[in-house]
Amino acid sequence: MAPVIGRRLRRGTVTAAVAAAAVAALAASQAPGVTDVGREGPAAGAADTPPPSGDSATGDSPYYTDLPRLKSPVPPTASNGGDKEDETGLPATVLDAYKKAETALNKDKPGCNLPWQLLAAIGKVESGQARGGNVDANGTTIKPILGPPLNGNGFAKITDTDKGAYDNDTTHDRAVGPMQFIPSTWATWGQDGNGDGDKDPNNIYDAALAAGRYLCANGRDLSVEADLHKAILSYNRSTDYLHTVLSWLEAYRRGTHEVPDGTGVLPDDRSDTRYPGLRPDPTPSHTPSPKPKPRPGSGNDKPGNGNGGGSTKPKPPGGGGSHKPTPADVDALANAGTGDLVAKTGSAFGERVAVRALSESGDFVPKVKVRFTVSGDTDARFEGGVRSVTVTTNAQGKATAPVLKAGQKAGEFVVQARVPGKAASRVDFEARTLARVADALARTGDKPLVCETGKEFAEQVEVKATHKGKVADGVAATATMIKSATDASANDKGPYFKGADGKPVRTLTGLKTDANGVLKLPKMYADDAAGTYLLRIVTEGGATLTVELKVAAPEPDATPSPSDSTDGSASPSASPSASPGA
């Protein structure tokens, strides 16, 4: 992992005590095989215990580098209304998962002494507490949290180990979920933290318990400083990572509070935003370390992740002399930490496109208008339903586009960022909209579907779609009255639906499952042809369900016999004879 350089300046630095602890941590221990020793140089000692899986839990994937404030903000109250920038508030479900993991490990591994605040610190650094607590009632992330492909381009190189089962990538592995486990590590350390019978890296209860067990491995006692540092370094083999986690651990130990799910403050900066020299100013009690040199092939030190825009020489603000940059000084745009742009149809992209405006000398250029444009055959749009939007760079030369939302059309497209009038200042970001899919369909009821000819079926067909055992919402589907099990063409007789004009329709298109993965078909009707018929439902992704429908001829009406009369009058044949004059 490359040194952490893209730390957010506006948050302030850690306390001297925390900084001292971090420096001590760097000198105290270091996992073997460490590929990044940070700015301070190699650690004095090396841990003699390898990471539990022989590698790091995350594959040394990128992580958030934001640091806590000098003092923890005051928790929100009715009188003060809280602090919108309070990063020590923990989403309710996420906090519950950390505390339950601590309780479980205190019982199973009492000698480990795992504090839940350590899980919170790692969760903050890895995923911003599951993207601010964006989880459902069971603790599963609403949207997948995936790291970049570990293809060796600035990261470790790990070829696919799970056939894309966890990370949807069949070429390389990616870190997955709120605690960012790579699939190979999850295969060994995955846990069922919420008792639902499933080990899901996207579930915060499962992931938190797995992270706790991973940190406790090899008989570590996390109340001992050396073991604590070894555990953190086994998660990501970077001393800057160690520094960042220790900072948040101290912040959470000083105090935190619960906030509603989905309202946690999201971090800004990631370790793969590599701008040499952009770092918090050192505290007066420490001597500044030498500025690191850029590492070749680090990836995001090039505009657009290598997709265009020309090379740059990024430097911290003011690094190029006394000249104050102006918009006219813009030489290029560089990716400012934008990750993979992938979303399912109808969903918002988890990443927002962000760029930095740089001068020829690498200085950040503020107050520059950047135009973001959605380009290609897609119905994805920015907030407000627009294809293009203009954003002005901030004091650090950064411009962030509004949230991008996928439409209903799956496919690839490009988001272009450029400075109007500056042909060289352009970055193209590849984006993908994925169709929502299902791999299984099942009826929600079990009543036989039977009807008399010429009548209406009493039951409507209702099915539920799932994907890998989880609800598959918004999945496109078709329903067809087919001719036979081997002939899926539409039947021309038998049961039918009604169109808007009241005429028979035997194929329905444009269907979609609801938020619970349920699809309820319209009422069905039978014509005058009795028999057994088949209805086939097929979803995007290949899930198929064939339902049997039976149409029966009505029972023949019984002709009443003379003796069946119920009005008390006699039938003509039974009437006594009456001759005239009798």
Side-chain angles (χ1 to χ4, degrees):
M1 201 68 188
V4 176
I5 303 163
R7 300 183 188 234
R8 185 170 51 186
L9 299 177
R10 66 184 176 87
R11 295 294 185 198
T13 57
V14 294
T15 62
V18 177
V23 172
L26 303 182
S29 65
Q30 178 70 39
V34 170
T35 57
D36 163 33
V37 293
R39 303 185 189 88
E40 291 79 3
D48 56 5
T49 304
S53 65
D55 206 337
S56 66
T58 65
D60 299 339
S61 292
Y63 55 91
Y64 288 106
T65 62
D66 303 57
L67 293 174
R69 292 180 175 185
L70 186 65
K71 291 184 179 180
S72 297
V74 179
T77 65
S79 60
N80 66 22
D83 184 342
K84 293 181 179 179
E85 293 295 325
D86 178 6
E87 289 192 331
T88 60
L90 290 168
T93 300
V94 175
L95 176 59
D96 183 58
Y98 295 152
K99 290 185 174 181
K100 279 185 167 58
E102 179 194 56
T103 299
L105 288 164
N106 282 344
K107 180 180 179 181
D108 297 343
K109 292 183 174 290
C112 176
N113 296 305
L114 172 86
W116 66 260
Q117 292 91 341
L118 176 58
L119 296 176
I122 290 176
K124 177 70 175 183
V125 170
E126 292 296 344
S127 69
Q129 311 298 10
R131 296 265 172 88
N134 192 22
V135 297
D136 63 19
N138 295 319
T140 302
T141 56
I142 303 297
K143 300 173 184 175
I145 302 175
L146 298 175
L150 297 173
N151 54 16
N153 184 17
F155 315 115
K157 184 174 183 178
I158 304 178
T159 54
D160 176 58
T161 62
D162 66 331
K163 297 183 179 179
Y166 292 120
D167 56 12
N168 294 320
D169 191 329
T170 57
T171 304
H172 296 95
D173 272 351
R174 299 170 182 244
V176 180
M179 303 304 278
Q180 290 288 277
F181 279 95
I182 55 174
S184 58
T185 307
W186 183 259
T188 301
W189 293 91
Q191 301 291 318
D192 178 12
N194 60 356
D196 64 355
D198 189 20
K199 296 178 181 180
D200 183 1
N202 298 294
N203 182 278
I204 185 60
Y205 288 98
D206 296 358
L209 182 58
R213 291 192 179 280
Y214 185 93
L215 294 165
C216 288
N218 295 346
R220 297 189 188 106
D221 179 354
L222 301 183
S223 65
V224 175
E225 185 178 65
D227 278 3
L228 173 65
H229 296 165
K230 290 176 185 178
I232 297 171
L233 285 167
S234 78
Y235 215 88
N236 189 308
R237 301 173 303 174
S238 162
T239 52
D240 284 300
Y241 180 87
L242 171 67
H243 181 164
T244 308
V245 171
L246 288 173
S247 298
W248 283 106
L249 172 60
E250 179 65 20
Y252 289 131
R253 279 174 165 165
R254 287 199 305 267
T256 186
H257 59 279
E258 181 181 299
V259 299
D261 288 345
T263 65
V265 175
L266 297 177
D268 286 344
D269 293 327
R270 300 198 320 174
S271 58
D272 54 347
T273 308
R274 299 189 180 98
Y275 297 100
L278 179 59
R279 52 175 294 190
D281 293 331
T283 57
S285 59
H286 297 283
T287 303
S289 301
K291 293 181 180 179
K293 295 181 179 180
R295 290 175 55 179
S298 58
N300 283 347
D301 55 359
K302 297 178 182 179
N305 284 328
N307 293 328
S311 62
T312 63
K313 301 175 182 179
K315 295 181 181 179
S322 59
H323 171 69
K324 186 176 181 180
T326 65
D329 295 324
V330 176
D331 180 66
L333 293 178
N335 181 12
T338 307
D340 284 354
L341 294 173
V342 180
K344 291 183 179 179
T345 53
S347 296
F349 285 78
E351 294 282 341
R352 291 170 66 179
V353 180
V355 295
R356 290 191 194 269
L358 303 170
S359 68
E360 185 177 2
S361 61
D363 292 321
F364 300 153
V365 186
K367 298 181 180 180
V368 174
K369 292 187 182 300
V370 177
R371 188 74 170 170
F372 295 96
T373 303
V374 176
S375 178
D377 185 14
T378 179
D379 54 356
R381 298 291 186 270
F382 291 116
E383 285 178 325
V386 297
R387 268 188 177 268
S388 296
V389 64
T390 300
V391 179
T392 302
T393 58
N394 63 15
Q396 284 75 45
K398 184 177 181 179
T400 303
V403 172
L404 180 65
K405 185 174 181 180
Q408 299 304 317
K409 186 171 185 177
E412 298 183 352
F413 62 98
V414 171
V415 178
Q416 182 187 100
R418 63 186 180 87
V419 176
K422 293 276 186 177
S425 300
R426 169 178 161 178
V427 183
D428 288 343
F429 297 87
E430 295 179 356
R432 285 187 299 157
T433 298
L434 303 178
R436 294 173 180 268
V437 298
D439 56 19
L441 278 174
R443 282 189 64 194
T444 59
D446 56 4
K447 289 185 178 180
L449 297 166
V450 180
C451 181
E452 286 187 3
T453 54
K455 293 187 178 182
E456 175 186 308
F457 281 81
E459 295 289 327
Q460 289 178 247
V461 176
E462 184 178 273
V463 298
K464 185 170 184 178
T466 56
H467 181 63
K468 295 182 180 178
K470 299 187 182 301
V471 166
D473 63 311
V475 178
T478 61
T480 306
M481 301 292 182
I482 61 175
K483 290 184 176 180
S484 70
T486 58
D487 185 353
S489 59
N491 209 335
D492 56 0
K493 63 180 179 179
Y496 61 90
F497 304 102
K498 283 186 179 180
D501 56 2
K503 294 181 179 179
V505 173
R506 292 186 170 88
T507 298
L508 297 178
T509 60
L511 304 173
K512 279 195 175 180
T513 59
D514 65 15
N516 297 314
V518 173
L519 172 63
K520 188 172 185 178
L521 299 184
K523 291 181 178 180
M524 298 182 299
Y525 303 85
D527 60 11
D528 57 0
T532 299
Y533 298 90
L534 297 178
L535 166 66
R536 180 164 291 172
I537 306 168
V538 181
T539 71
E540 186 77 37
T544 302
L545 178 67
T546 303
V547 181
E548 187 175 84
L549 310 175
K550 289 187 177 182
V551 178
E555 293 291 334
D557 292 334
T559 302
S561 64
S563 60
D564 290 337
S565 175
T566 59
D567 62 1
S569 62
S571 64
S573 61
S575 300
S577 60
S579 59

